[in-house]
């Protein structure tokens, strides 16, 4: 099938799957209008847009209200976020009762979606088993949308052993079918309580831990702005910032919180994932980090050889 949007046949009549786009905002008024326009011009037109604002003090909320007023034919909702950070804002949206059995796509306030983004994601999921999570590469731009690079094309498997120590699913590209939506919703309460650091990293860990497959599209689907307000931004661009996260042991804290919720939710993981998680916990709690075996020996890895070497060095220093 070459169409960007797959047709589902119900009773002989083709119909498009309806996708709920979940967009979280916080003081993004300077960039929001182009993102909203790019959603409006998707080739896949059967969507709702639910926006959770986390306490903006700029023009974000007025911009959203204008957009809603200008498109009364659309299901566009403005909700109030929990004001506890980006991850909890996304999780509060995902927990909305009406999303049972829904297709869901995550969106960020400062990107621009390419026209094929939503339709291609739905198409690629349905060409597989129908129970896969979709993410794609991104084109990096500066704040003025000048292209400055592209996200990596990863070569190693997208599995739980990678998800424990690295997030390679950019949340602003993720699309999930109903089975995965319902699975994630069943675990979201535990994850909110554990205060997981990033919603997309949590998604990557939960879906791979439960045995779902990952589609990582080599074709970019979004323009991903890099600017001073990005929480992390592009891996290759924010090298110094990421080094400081390690030095200040912030990365260790992130892994601590992730492991806490995974341990609580171990019963919903596959048996191999549970075994790997417990081995990882034992590896991290060894009294003398310099004596730790290479993390790869227990099945934990990053997406590159240099990443593996860095992970091993961090393990010796107690930095993971």
């Amino acid at each position: 099938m070459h169409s960007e949007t797959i047709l589902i046949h119900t009773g002989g009549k083709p119909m498009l799957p309806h996708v709920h786009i979940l967009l979280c905002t916080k003081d993004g008024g300077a960039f929001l209008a182009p993102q909203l326009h790019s959603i409006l011009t998707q080739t896949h037109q059967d969507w709702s847009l639910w926006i959770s604002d986390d306490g903006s003090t700029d023009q974000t909320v007025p911009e959203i209200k204008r957009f809603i007023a200008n498109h009364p034919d659309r299901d566009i909702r403005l909700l109030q976020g929990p004001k506890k950070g980006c991850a909890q804002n996304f999780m509060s949206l995902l927990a909305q009762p009406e999303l049972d059995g829904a297709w869901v796509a995550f969106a960020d306030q400062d990107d621009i979606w390419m026209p094929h983004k939503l339709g291609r994601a739905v198409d690629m999921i349905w060409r597989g088993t129908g129970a896969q999570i979709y993410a794609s590469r991104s084109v990096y731009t500066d704040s003025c949308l000048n292209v400055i690079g592209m996200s990596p094309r990863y070569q190693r498997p997208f599995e739980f052993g990678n998800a424990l120590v690295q997030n390679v699913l950019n949340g602003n590209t993720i699309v999930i079918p109903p089975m995965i939506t319902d699975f994630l919703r069943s675990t979201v309460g535990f994850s909110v309580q554990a205060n997981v650091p990033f919603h997309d990293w949590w998604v990557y860990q939960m879906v791979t831990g439960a045995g779902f497959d990952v589609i990582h599209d080599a074709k970019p689907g979004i323009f991903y702005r890099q600017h001073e307000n990005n929480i992390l931004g592009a891996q290759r661009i924010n090298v110094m910032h990421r080094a400081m996260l390690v030095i200040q042991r912030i990365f260790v804290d992130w892994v601590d919180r992730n492991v806490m919720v995974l341990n609580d939710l171990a019963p919903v993981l596959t048996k191999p994932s549970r075994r790997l998680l417990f081995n990882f916990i034992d590896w991290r709690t060894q009294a003398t980090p310099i004596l730790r075996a290479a993390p790869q020996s227990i099945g934990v890895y990053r997406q590159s050889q240099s990443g593996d070497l860095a992970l091993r060095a961090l393990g010796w220093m107690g930095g993971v």
Side-chain angles (χ1 to χ4, degrees):
M1 179 179 292
H2 299 289
S3 171
E4 291 289 359
T5 304
I6 194 164
L7 297 180
I8 303 173
H9 293 269
T10 304
K13 183 179 180 180
M15 57 182 288
L16 297 170
H18 185 88
V19 181
H20 287 76
I21 301 169
L22 307 185
L23 172 62
C24 290
T25 58
K26 175 68 183 292
D27 293 333
F31 305 117
L32 185 57
Q35 170 67 312
L36 294 175
H37 179 74
S38 73
I39 292 172
L40 196 64
T41 56
Q42 288 295 295
T43 58
H44 184 113
Q45 281 287 300
D46 195 356
W47 49 262
S48 301
L49 176 60
W50 294 4
I51 307 171
S52 180
D53 186 75
D54 217 26
S56 293
T57 58
D58 65 353
Q59 290 301 305
T60 297
V61 171
E63 184 74 43
I64 295 168
K65 289 181 176 178
R66 280 193 295 271
F67 187 73
I68 293 173
N70 290 336
H71 302 283
D73 56 322
R74 290 285 187 180
D75 178 12
I76 306 173
R77 308 184 191 184
L78 175 60
L79 297 88
Q80 185 174 357
K83 298 182 182 179
K84 295 181 179 179
C86 181
Q88 298 242 1
N89 198 8
F90 269 105
M91 289 180 176
S92 72
L93 264 180
L94 189 61
Q96 293 294 314
E98 294 169 87
L99 293 180
D100 271 342
W103 282 80
V104 167
F106 293 145
D108 283 357
Q109 63 187 4
D110 47 4
D111 302 324
I112 293 181
W113 283 12
M114 299 177 189
H116 66 264
K117 184 257 186 294
L118 197 56
R120 181 175 173 86
V122 171
D123 190 14
M124 291 188 74
I125 290 172
W126 275 97
R127 276 193 269 171
T129 65
Q132 301 174 92
I133 182 172
Y134 172 94
S136 75
R137 299 176 73 194
S138 308
V139 174
Y140 297 143
T141 76
D142 63 18
S143 60
C144 297
L145 294 177
N146 298 304
V147 175
I148 56 176
M150 187 176 293
S151 63
R153 184 170 184 175
Y154 299 111
Q155 301 297 324
R156 293 181 173 179
F158 300 99
E159 295 178 348
F160 189 58
N162 179 224
L164 283 170
V165 292
Q166 183 181 17
N167 179 31
V168 297
L169 301 189
N170 285 343
N172 48 5
T173 71
I174 287 176
V175 178
I176 52 178
M179 182 181 295
I180 293 181
T181 298
D182 290 347
F183 168 69
L184 290 172
R185 283 170 49 79
S186 73
T187 71
V188 74
F190 292 91
S191 306
V192 167
Q193 187 174 5
N195 194 26
V196 296
F198 299 101
H199 68 284
D200 46 5
W201 197 359
W202 163 73
V203 168
Y204 185 31
Q205 292 179 339
M206 292 307 306
V207 297
T208 55
F212 292 107
D213 293 326
V214 172
I215 298 169
H216 199 281
D217 194 357
K219 181 176 181 177
I222 70 167
F223 294 100
Y224 182 8
R225 292 185 200 254
Q226 304 298 304
H227 54 82
E228 61 183 8
N229 294 326
N230 286 130
I231 295 176
L232 279 182
Q235 294 184 22
R236 294 178 178 177
I237 297 171
N238 252 337
V239 174
M240 289 303 297
H241 175 57
R242 289 169 181 267
M244 288 305 298
L245 296 177
V246 172
I247 293 169
Q248 296 171 2
R249 297 187 63 79
I250 296 174
F251 182 72
V252 172
D253 174 64
W254 291 346
V255 177
D256 284 343
R257 284 187 272 162
N258 286 337
V259 167
M260 180 189 305
V261 72
L262 288 169
N263 193 43
D264 288 343
L265 292 169
V268 306
L269 305 179
T270 64
K271 186 175 180 179
S273 295
R274 288 198 299 271
R275 185 183 305 115
L276 178 54
L277 173 64
F278 298 149
N279 287 340
F280 182 59
I281 292 172
D282 289 343
W283 179 83
R284 293 186 77 225
T285 54
Q286 289 182 26
T288 309
I290 194 65
L291 299 180
R292 289 177 180 172
Q296 295 77 23
S297 68
I298 62 170
V300 175
Y301 61 94
R302 290 178 67 89
Q303 283 289 333
S304 66
Q305 289 185 349
S306 60
D308 282 346
L309 291 173
L311 182 62
R312 187 168 188 176
L314 284 175
W316 287 338
M317 295 184 295
V320 65

